[in-house]
Amino acid sequence: MTTVLSHGPLQTDVPDIRPTLQGSVGTATRVSLVAAGAAAGAGLALVATPSATTALTTAVIGAGLVTSLAANWSTCGMSVAGVVAAPKQVDRKGSSTPVRRLGWHALGSVTTGAVTGALIGALGAAMSGYVPIGWALGIWAVVAVAYGLHELGAVRMPTPMRRQQLPRHLRRTMAPWKVSLIFGAIIGPGFLIFIRSSAYYLLALGVMASGSPALGAALFTVVSLGRCMPSLAAIVHTKRGGSMPGFLSIMCVVDRRVQSVTGAALIALGAFAAAALI
């Protein structure tokens, strides 16, 4: 089934235009994703037989990679893409280009993201010893499966977040490269705006459980770089003659596919962590 939007390309950002999960991905497909994710994760753990420490590290790295892909398709991500990929207006000073703005955005995101990851890891290190590694891995596994099912629409889990969009007024009052940098700095920590994907929760929880500032900084850096993908895709799309409104509409459809794959991936990681305890 191919999902199409019931409207033309949008000229402005509207956060509630995405098709529903049920309308984008059928029930049978989502059930298959649950089964496939659980089987793949558990099977890998039973073959590899990792220690609890190795399993936790592997799981949190997986959560970081999933987050770097899944957290991109929010309204905030599309807003950044609109700033980064837009052609330079003739009345704006400077020599800003989309590629340069993408570099500024990545710099801002990596800077604050790496610091956030390191701080979460340091907090976990300070709390190490209070929770045995086996218990930490088991708790992480249960939470991962629960949020995987949440992403697939099977259960509803709490999603605490600061429900705040990026400050769009900056787009009208500041130079585009500065807006790109500031937007990146706000997005980098992942917790200052809407949290688009449940994988963020698993990433933060896993980094804290691992108690490694270095691992936290590395994974949040990967996520920060991954979150540049919508802007990079928008640059490529517009250079090939596409329009930004058309790009935003396409991404709204892609979003639900990504959400479903995220759910399956979280279930696979949870099953991997759980099977490693056997």
Side-chain angles (χ1 to χ4, degrees):
M1 174 180 176
T2 301
T3 302
V4 296
L5 298 180
S6 58
H7 57 77
L10 300 175
Q11 302 297 328
T12 58
D13 295 334
V14 181
D16 298 322
I17 62 172
R18 291 175 176 80
T20 64
L21 176 64
Q22 291 76 13
S24 300
V25 183
T27 301
T29 300
R30 284 181 282 137
V31 170
S32 298
L33 287 172
V34 171
L44 179 60
L46 294 176
V47 170
T49 62
S51 66
T53 301
T54 300
L56 178 60
T57 302
T58 302
V60 70
I61 290 174
L65 295 175
V66 171
T67 303
S68 71
L69 296 173
N72 289 297
W73 316 108
S74 64
T75 302
C76 289
M78 296 302 101
S79 182
V80 171
V83 172
V84 170
K88 183 179 180 297
Q89 299 177 20
V90 295
D91 59 341
R92 291 289 186 103
K93 296 181 179 180
S95 57
S96 177
T97 66
V99 174
R100 290 179 183 177
R101 291 195 291 272
L102 180 58
W104 284 113
H105 176 66
L107 176 62
S109 185
V110 167
T111 299
T112 56
V115 171
T116 300
L119 289 175
I120 293 174
L123 178 61
M127 298 170 59
S128 63
Y130 291 96
V131 180
I133 187 65
W135 278 97
L137 182 61
I139 293 170
W140 193 94
V142 171
V143 175
V145 171
Y147 275 102
L149 293 172
H150 171 85
E151 290 291 312
L152 286 164
V155 301
R156 184 179 293 276
M157 293 292 291
T159 54
M161 69 181 79
R162 181 173 183 260
R163 299 180 183 276
Q164 183 69 42
Q165 297 287 359
L166 291 167
R168 294 175 58 189
H169 69 277
L170 295 181
R171 300 168 65 171
R172 301 186 298 271
T173 59
M174 298 182 67
W177 74 267
K178 292 181 181 179
V179 180
S180 299
L181 177 66
I182 292 172
F183 278 9
I186 295 173
I187 285 176
F191 306 105
L192 300 179
I193 53 175
F194 280 90
I195 295 177
R196 182 68 192 97
S197 173
S198 299
Y200 247 119
Y201 302 120
L202 277 301
L203 170 61
L205 181 62
V207 168
M208 185 177 294
S210 70
S212 172
L215 181 62
L219 289 179
F220 270 74
T221 295
V222 169
V223 171
S224 293
L225 292 174
R227 295 199 71 170
C228 295
M229 286 191 296
S231 298
L232 178 60
I235 291 173
V236 173
H237 179 78
T238 53
K239 282 186 177 297
R240 292 181 174 178
S243 68
M244 277 304 299
F247 174 78
L248 298 178
S249 295
I250 292 170
M251 290 303 101
C252 287
V253 175
V254 170
D255 176 46
R256 294 306 186 185
R257 310 302 202 268
V258 174
Q259 180 181 341
S260 297
V261 173
T262 298
L266 291 180
I267 289 172
L269 291 171
F272 172 82
L277 293 172
I278 297 176

